[in-house]
Amino acid sequence: ASPEIDVVCDSAGMICVHEGGEAADVSTQTSADYWLPRLTILGCCALYGTNFAFGKLLGESLEPSVISGLRFSLAAITLSPYLRELDPRLVFPAISCGFAVALGYIGQALALQTISAGKAGFICSLSVITCPVLEALFDGVKVTPPFIAAILLSLTGVAALELTGDVTPSIGDVFALAQPLGFGFAFWRTSKMMRANPTQTLPITAVAVGVTGVVAVTWMLATAASKGHLDSSILSGVLNPV
């Protein structure tokens, strides 16, 4: 019987290698194989965009810590069945991704208290800079003119948003910067894990979301304790909506 071979595609989706590093034949790749993952990610981006608007809306009646605690504890419970499938070698990398994601979402929740959903989303998009910078620093990816141009364009966009019109810089912008830093790191490290372990997608996600949930619930309880109401009143905005 022929040995079982795992095939992993690179970031361009064009070059595949066997687990042992030997090049694989990708001549049979179809246009659907190429476009389906990209269209799927595009759809995810469209859905993710609603995150900022709904986060801003919820922030009008709930504290940021409560919003984060509820959403990520429920998400963690939903994905928890996949935890037992995680490869032990990926425990630490997956946990580090969880802490990075938690940093991004806590910063986002705090930022939406003082800045618009659109501005928070725009600042979050700076993660497109974080990822390639990490690849250049730690993975030896070559810095090319298009890469530099992309960074300059992104920074120009943020500068235009911050320094022109009626939108002035605020403390919310500082909190919002946790998004590209936290999410960018998580995207970079998750990508590395999933390329090398394509069957571990859900277990890795379950760990990251689980860690985010633990951090968010801890934040929620600590905030309530600091205000002297560590009881059901924490959820008053949910249990007794206006």
Side-chain angles (χ1 to χ4, degrees):
S2 58
E4 184 177 336
I5 298 175
D6 292 326
V7 177
V8 183
C9 294
D10 70 348
S11 58
M14 298 299 292
I15 302 174
C16 293
V17 295
H18 295 318
E19 191 175 44
E22 180 183 350
D25 181 11
V26 293
S27 60
T28 59
Q29 185 184 50
T30 66
S31 59
D33 294 330
Y34 182 85
W35 285 109
L36 183 59
R38 288 158 176 77
L39 293 175
T40 300
I41 292 176
L42 181 62
C44 290
C45 291
L47 289 174
Y48 183 72
T50 64
N51 166 74
F52 300 98
F54 282 113
K56 184 70 173 179
L57 181 64
L58 289 171
E60 296 176 359
S61 56
L62 296 173
E63 293 188 9
S65 60
V66 175
I67 297 172
S68 298
L70 290 177
R71 66 186 294 197
F72 290 110
S73 60
L74 293 174
I77 293 171
T78 302
L79 291 171
S80 60
Y82 297 101
L83 291 173
R84 62 178 180 271
E85 300 177 15
L86 183 71
D87 185 328
R89 297 173 301 171
L90 302 177
V91 170
F92 176 73
I95 289 176
S96 68
C97 286
F99 279 112
V101 171
L103 171 67
Y105 275 115
I106 289 175
Q108 180 185 110
L110 292 172
L112 287 172
Q113 300 299 297
T114 56
I115 65 176
S116 68
K119 190 176 185 182
F122 194 91
I123 294 175
C124 180
S125 69
L126 286 175
S127 58
V128 300
I129 295 178
T130 307
C131 292
V133 166
L134 290 172
E135 289 180 334
L137 291 175
F138 298 104
D139 299 335
V141 175
K142 184 178 180 182
V143 177
T144 61
F147 168 65
I148 296 175
I151 290 179
L152 293 177
L153 284 173
S154 297
L155 293 177
T156 300
V158 172
L161 184 67
E162 292 285 353
L163 303 177
T164 61
D166 298 328
V167 182
T168 57
S170 68
I171 187 62
D173 299 344
V174 178
F175 289 130
L177 287 174
Q179 299 175 106
L181 296 176
F183 296 154
F185 174 85
F187 293 153
W188 167 68
R189 192 148 197 184
T190 300
S191 176
K192 288 167 66 73
M193 287 190 289
M194 290 184 178
R195 287 181 197 171
N197 306 274
T199 62
Q200 290 285 296
T201 300
L202 285 173
I204 291 171
T205 304
V207 173
V209 174
V211 171
T212 303
V214 170
V215 172
V217 170
T218 301
W219 178 34
M220 179 179 72
L221 296 177
T223 300
S226 67
K227 296 183 178 181
H229 55 80
L230 189 57
D231 50 38
S232 60
S233 63
I234 300 174
L235 305 177
S236 59
V238 178
L239 301 176
N240 302 295
V242 177

